[in-house]
Amino acid sequence: MKVRNPRNGTYDYTLAIDSPNQVSHKALALKSTQQAWNSKGIAHRVKVLMELATMLEIKSEEIINQLSIDTGRRKISRIEFDGAIGLIKGRCYSSPKLMEEVPIRDSFSNPTVQIKQQRVPYELVGVISPWNFPLLLALIDTVPALLAGCSVLLKPSEVTPRFIDPLEAVVKEIPELASVLQFVRGGAESGAALVDNVDVVCFTGSVATGKIIAMNAAKNFIPAFLELGGKDPAIVLADANLEITTDAIIRSAAGATGQACQSLERIYVDEKIHDSLISLLVEKINKVTFNADYEKGGTMGPLIFDKQADKIEEQINDAIDKGAQVKTGGKIENIDGGAWMLPTVVTQVNHEMSLMTEETFGPVIPVMAYKDLDQAIALANDSDYGLSGSVFSSDLEEAVRVASLIDAGGISVNDGSLTNQVFDATKNSFKLSGLNGSRMGNDGFTRFFRTKALLIQTAHPKSIHSQEE
Ligand code: NAD
């Protein structure tokens, strides 16, 4: 499989893909080592995962370099790498407490029976990840699953696979870890084979693929933890601090060139401050430049996936055809073969436009005025998605009230996309944005266990013959 370089558009990397047969061989090997891994206990697994963090830090430059080529991003690749290390250390710190034994207790419903609860990890967890934050999203489920005592078969995206080689090399330097963590390279076919061979699948990606994964998981009678797309709304109240609000909107909607699931993609603003919000957004965005030539500086990186660039263009054209006005950016520019786009503010939008209903996954900021808060909340909730969102107001109590009424799993108050910085808050993805348990917080660890009950009879149960019916 040939892989495209997002900075110059050339196909300069070849990915050797795993056949379905190779995937099932890896799965079999991982299942055979899981029990020994589980029996070593959480303290031992923490030690091994902390060793992984140390080894990754030693090899950081190699991994960050490949990640930079994968994504076309230099600074964000460093931040992503640091985030991955923080994730490993954070899970190593918090997991042991969640493994503490539950004391045996008498049953309330039958006091002669004692209950001993046990946690049984799934044998083999399959992880399938997307291209937008390749390393972090590959590890976000892998790390807690390993700590829980599972083996893991991980398939990163075929769009950004260069980081796999240096990551796998580090894992191989820790033989015990390599016996419970293996990698699958490839696209849909390899991913489908993975789903056929694991005991639970964690998937991060698009709604369309998530639905296919859910159906294949159902056929195999395994659980599917799905983290899918979003169309995150922001509601800006009339009393919002516009300096803070515009900074947060630009950072959330256009940071990482808008290629994040929790990017703000719809802004609803009180009509009284619509024009001032737009002029401040435009003023700030007019200072943003591409970093196509690192020597010349600039902040905006390229769009990673050329097919996504086509979708963004389609949505913008559809909105213009239906009466929208583009205030900044608006065009995808070809620079040295890469696809580049400045933060794009669009006004005069409505929910007839795909720009307001479908995930964009680019640096586009459509802004719509509302008359009253009931209308704003109704517009925010008029979506198939329910990943996250934002509320901006100087009245904290009112902001929290409005946040509670948005039908989504994680709402940032007076900021945007806080769910990509805070890993220890439990949150579900609502509606089409996901299914089955929180990946964040304690649940992101405990969901890798089945709970088992040992029911110990302490009295002498009467024989059936001596019982009155
Ligand atoms: P995608 O659905 O195209 O691909 C994701 C992964 O699924 C890739 O590894 C791909 O190879 C694999 N795949 C494709 N078809 C498959 C099949 N039939 N069976 C098994 N695996 C298959 O998504 P993408 O374009 O890589 O990522 C972008 C999407 O991910 C966006 O919608 C974004 O919102 C979402 N995302 C969600 C979160 C979250 O936490 N909710 C985080 C990041 C990205």
Side-chain angles (χ1 to χ4, degrees):
M1 195 178 261
K2 289 284 178 199
V3 181
R4 182 177 169 276
N5 180 323
R7 278 198 164 253
N8 56 31
T10 57
Y11 287 78
D12 57 1
Y13 182 84
T14 306
L15 180 71
I17 63 173
D18 284 291
S19 68
N21 214 9
Q22 286 168 308
V23 174
S24 59
H25 272 101
K26 288 183 180 182
L28 267 181
L30 289 167
K31 285 188 179 195
S32 73
T33 49
Q34 182 268 335
Q35 279 202 4
W37 174 243
N38 183 39
S39 68
K40 294 271 174 66
I42 181 72
H44 179 76
R45 292 195 292 277
V46 164
K47 206 171 116 241
V48 174
L49 268 292
M50 286 301 287
E51 196 181 338
L52 172 67
T54 306
M55 298 289 290
L56 286 174
E57 281 175 316
I58 293 168
K59 296 285 166 66
S60 62
E61 286 312 306
E62 279 170 54
I63 297 170
I64 292 169
N65 281 342
Q66 295 307 308
L67 212 49
S68 291
I69 307 173
D70 273 331
T71 60
R73 307 185 294 224
R74 217 164 46 168
K75 190 171 168 199
I76 293 178
S77 294
R78 272 184 193 280
I79 295 170
E80 182 182 350
F81 179 85
D82 292 343
I85 297 294
L87 164 86
I88 299 173
K89 291 182 177 171
R91 283 289 182 202
C92 283
Y93 170 77
S94 63
S95 301
K97 281 194 267 311
L98 302 170
M99 290 287 288
E100 278 166 12
E101 284 225 353
V102 182
I104 291 187
R105 66 170 175 88
D106 294 342
S107 157
F108 302 129
S109 50
N110 183 346
T112 69
V113 173
Q114 291 186 328
I115 299 173
K116 182 171 171 56
Q117 301 273 212
Q118 291 181 327
R119 297 179 198 86
V120 183
Y122 288 98
E123 228 177 12
L124 179 56
V125 174
V127 176
I128 301 177
S129 51
W131 50 260
N132 58 325
F133 285 90
L135 175 70
L136 188 64
L137 292 171
L139 294 184
I140 199 163
D141 296 316
T142 298
V143 169
L146 287 167
L147 284 168
C150 312
S151 285
V152 176
L153 189 53
L154 164 62
K155 193 202 85 60
S157 169
E158 70 280 20
V159 179
T160 50
R162 294 166 172 88
F163 78 102
I164 304 174
D165 282 349
L167 175 63
E168 187 177 46
V170 169
V171 170
K172 283 187 171 158
E173 287 188 39
I174 311 169
E176 191 180 3
L177 186 61
S179 75
V180 287
L181 171 59
Q182 291 204 43
F183 297 82
V184 168
R185 291 167 175 80
E189 194 190 21
S190 317
L194 179 145
V195 177
D196 285 341
N197 282 279
V198 296
D199 302 305
V200 54
V201 59
C202 298
F203 171 77
T204 310
S206 63
V207 171
T209 312
K211 285 183 177 176
I212 296 172
I213 304 269
M215 285 190 283
N216 289 338
K219 274 189 211 148
N220 289 303
F221 207 66
I222 60 166
F225 300 137
L226 305 176
E227 292 290 340
L228 310 177
K231 187 75 196 168
D232 286 2
I235 298 181
V236 185
L237 276 64
D239 65 354
N241 176 323
L242 284 189
E243 272 304 326
I244 292 176
T245 303
T246 47
D247 277 348
I249 288 173
I250 296 168
R251 198 174 51 244
S252 168
T257 321
Q259 303 161 113
C261 56
Q262 80 300 322
S263 295
L264 285 175
E265 294 206 354
R266 299 177 283 150
I267 313 298
Y268 302 103
V269 57
D270 190 303
E271 60 182 4
K272 294 190 274 304
I273 57 162
H274 173 271
D275 291 354
S276 8
L277 178 100
I278 297 292
S279 58
L280 201 51
L281 278 175
V282 170
E283 186 191 318
K284 289 181 180 179
I285 287 170
N286 280 340
K287 294 181 191 138
V288 176
T289 53
F290 297 132
N291 66 9
D293 181 348
Y294 281 130
E295 300 300 313
K296 290 189 182 152
T299 49
M300 285 292 282
L303 293 163
I304 296 171
F305 191 29
D306 49 352
K307 293 195 181 70
Q308 195 66 38
D310 296 342
K311 273 194 207 166
I312 298 169
E313 212 152 45
E314 264 172 45
Q315 288 189 6
I316 299 272
N317 290 338
D318 169 69
I320 293 170
D321 287 349
K322 291 174 178 161
Q325 284 181 16
V326 173
K327 298 284 185 187
T328 59
K331 293 252 173 306
I332 294 184
E333 299 177 41
N334 183 324
I335 305 176
D336 298 332
W340 300 75
M341 186 180 208
L342 283 171
T344 293
V345 173
V346 188
T347 59
Q348 309 298 321
V349 291
N350 61 52
H351 283 208
E352 299 299 310
M353 302 168 181
S354 58
L355 188 62
M356 293 300 278
T357 56
E358 290 168 22
E359 187 176 46
T360 306
F361 226 55
V364 185
I365 310 173
V367 184
M368 187 171 173
Y370 68 79
K371 284 191 189 313
D372 58 46
L373 266 178
D374 286 348
Q375 187 198 10
I377 293 160
L379 285 166
N381 289 339
D382 177 27
S383 173
D384 292 338
Y385 296 94
L387 192 65
S388 33
S390 287
V391 178
F392 295 91
S393 169
S394 301
D395 178 346
L396 201 56
E397 208 174 305
E398 180 66 344
V400 168
R401 187 187 74 82
V402 174
S404 314
L405 295 171
I406 298 180
D407 206 8
I411 311 296
S412 305
V413 174
N414 288 328
D415 206 339
S417 302
L418 284 176
T419 53
N420 76 353
Q421 296 167 31
V422 177
F423 292 173
D424 51 347
T426 301
K427 68 164 203 67
N428 289 121
S429 300
F430 292 10
K431 302 196 248 180
L432 281 187
S433 290
L435 205 62
N436 284 336
S438 170
R439 97 154 9 144
M440 307 300 204
N442 293 346
D443 294 14
F445 174 69
T446 53
R447 68 181 182 170
F448 292 110
F449 298 103
R450 278 92 27 102
T451 307
K452 185 169 171 177
L454 304 188
L455 305 172
I456 304 158
Q457 180 57 276
T458 60
H460 185 161
K462 289 193 178 134
S463 119
I464 183 102
H465 305 296
S466 58
Q467 279 177 358
E468 272 183 31
E469 293 278 315

